[in-house]
Amino acid sequence: MKGVAVASITENSSRNSPDTTASGDTSHRWLAAGISVPAIVVTLAFLQSRYTYGELLNDPADIVGYDPFLGLISTLGLFSWAAAAGVAVLAAAVLRGAEDAPARRFFRIAGLLTLLLLVDDAFMLHEQVLPKGLGIRERYIKVGYLALAAAFGMTFFRFLVRNNPMLLASAVAFLAGSVVFDNPALLNGLGLMESELVLYIVEDGCKFTGIVLWFTWMLKTAADSIGNPAGDRPPVRIGPEPPVP
């Protein structure tokens, strides 16, 4: 009987364990992706002729010769953008069931939108790159971002209001405040254009706080969605099995 029991347990274990031989080990695909992306970036750096190799691959503080803690708050904001995007992408990857489709779609698009904001903030797209490179006025770029955010909010309105709305409203309020105080016409009208308190502490302080709150909301909402994917019923409580009569 013991031999039969051991054989049965072994059979069940092999049945429940993932068969990497049959299904195929996909780690080589991830390896290829992990190598190809930096390879493309480094190749483009090698082929271009506008900047030296050191200017593109070295640390900015080392290139220019400034203190590495300059721009600390801005750098922490970039970290928070990246963390929020990473959480969203990971949540989208985890939520794969049929009933998780709306949440998975939300986190996928939210991750892409957050990644866009990260790139814009890191490389000053709406302030310098797009206006100088393509001739697009900064105000039009801001309007485009606002329209994109509005479309995102309307598309996923029900999901947004059902998940930690107070935390989300705080993030949106601080980010909106940074946009308001980034308006030169408004600041000139109020006589605050020359005030460093408004330009840096208020505007950039609101922006940094909003980014951190967005990351916090994304982390909390992702944890809630993964723990309760359906979103409309409490999670199943797993307790001890009832005694066998």
Side-chain angles (χ1 to χ4, degrees):
M1 291 298 293
K2 290 183 180 180
V4 174
V6 171
S8 177
I9 293 174
T10 304
E11 181 181 356
N12 291 334
S13 300
S14 60
R15 184 181 303 170
N16 294 330
S17 61
D19 187 0
T20 56
T21 303
S23 61
D25 186 2
T26 60
S27 61
H28 64 282
R29 299 178 183 177
W30 290 92
L31 176 62
I35 292 178
S36 61
V37 172
I40 292 172
V41 174
V42 174
T43 301
L44 292 176
F46 171 74
L47 295 176
Q48 61 82 40
S49 58
R50 181 174 180 179
Y51 304 96
T52 66
Y53 299 150
E55 288 174 340
L56 291 179
L57 286 103
N58 203 0
D59 294 325
D62 194 20
I63 297 171
V64 181
Y66 63 77
D67 190 294
F69 288 102
L70 291 179
L72 173 65
I73 304 300
S74 177
T75 302
L76 292 177
L78 297 178
F79 289 168
S80 299
W81 279 132
V87 168
V89 172
L90 180 60
V94 171
L95 298 171
R96 296 180 179 177
E99 64 181 6
D100 307 335
R104 185 175 70 251
R105 190 180 308 113
F106 166 81
F107 284 113
R108 185 185 301 133
I109 297 178
L112 292 175
L113 180 60
T114 304
L115 184 61
L116 172 62
L117 296 175
L118 165 64
V119 174
D120 179 273
D121 197 7
F123 300 108
M124 304 179 71
L125 294 187
H126 76 275
E127 295 168 311
Q128 293 191 19
V129 175
L130 295 179
K132 295 180 179 179
L134 300 178
I136 305 175
R137 300 185 67 174
E138 183 178 347
R139 68 177 67 177
Y140 298 144
I141 301 172
K142 289 182 178 179
V143 170
Y145 282 157
L146 291 175
L148 191 62
F152 173 77
M154 289 187 293
T155 302
F156 298 103
F157 179 78
R158 294 180 63 184
F159 184 89
L160 291 168
V161 298
R162 289 181 178 179
N163 290 276
N164 308 296
M166 183 177 298
L167 189 57
L168 177 63
S170 300
V172 172
F174 277 99
L175 290 173
S178 70
V179 174
V180 170
F181 287 104
D182 192 29
N183 189 337
L186 174 64
L187 296 181
N188 279 325
L190 297 175
L192 299 174
M193 192 61 188
E194 304 300 326
S195 172
E196 290 193 355
L197 175 65
V198 175
L199 291 177
Y200 299 109
I201 298 298
V202 177
E203 177 194 339
D204 291 326
C206 285
K207 177 183 174 182
F208 176 65
T209 305
I211 297 172
V212 174
L213 286 173
W214 174 249
F215 161 65
T216 306
W217 179 85
M218 189 70 72
L219 183 62
K220 177 69 166 60
T221 304
D224 293 343
S225 299
I226 293 173
N228 181 22
D232 55 358
R233 62 176 184 270
V236 178
R237 179 174 297 176
I238 302 177
E241 295 183 0
V244 178

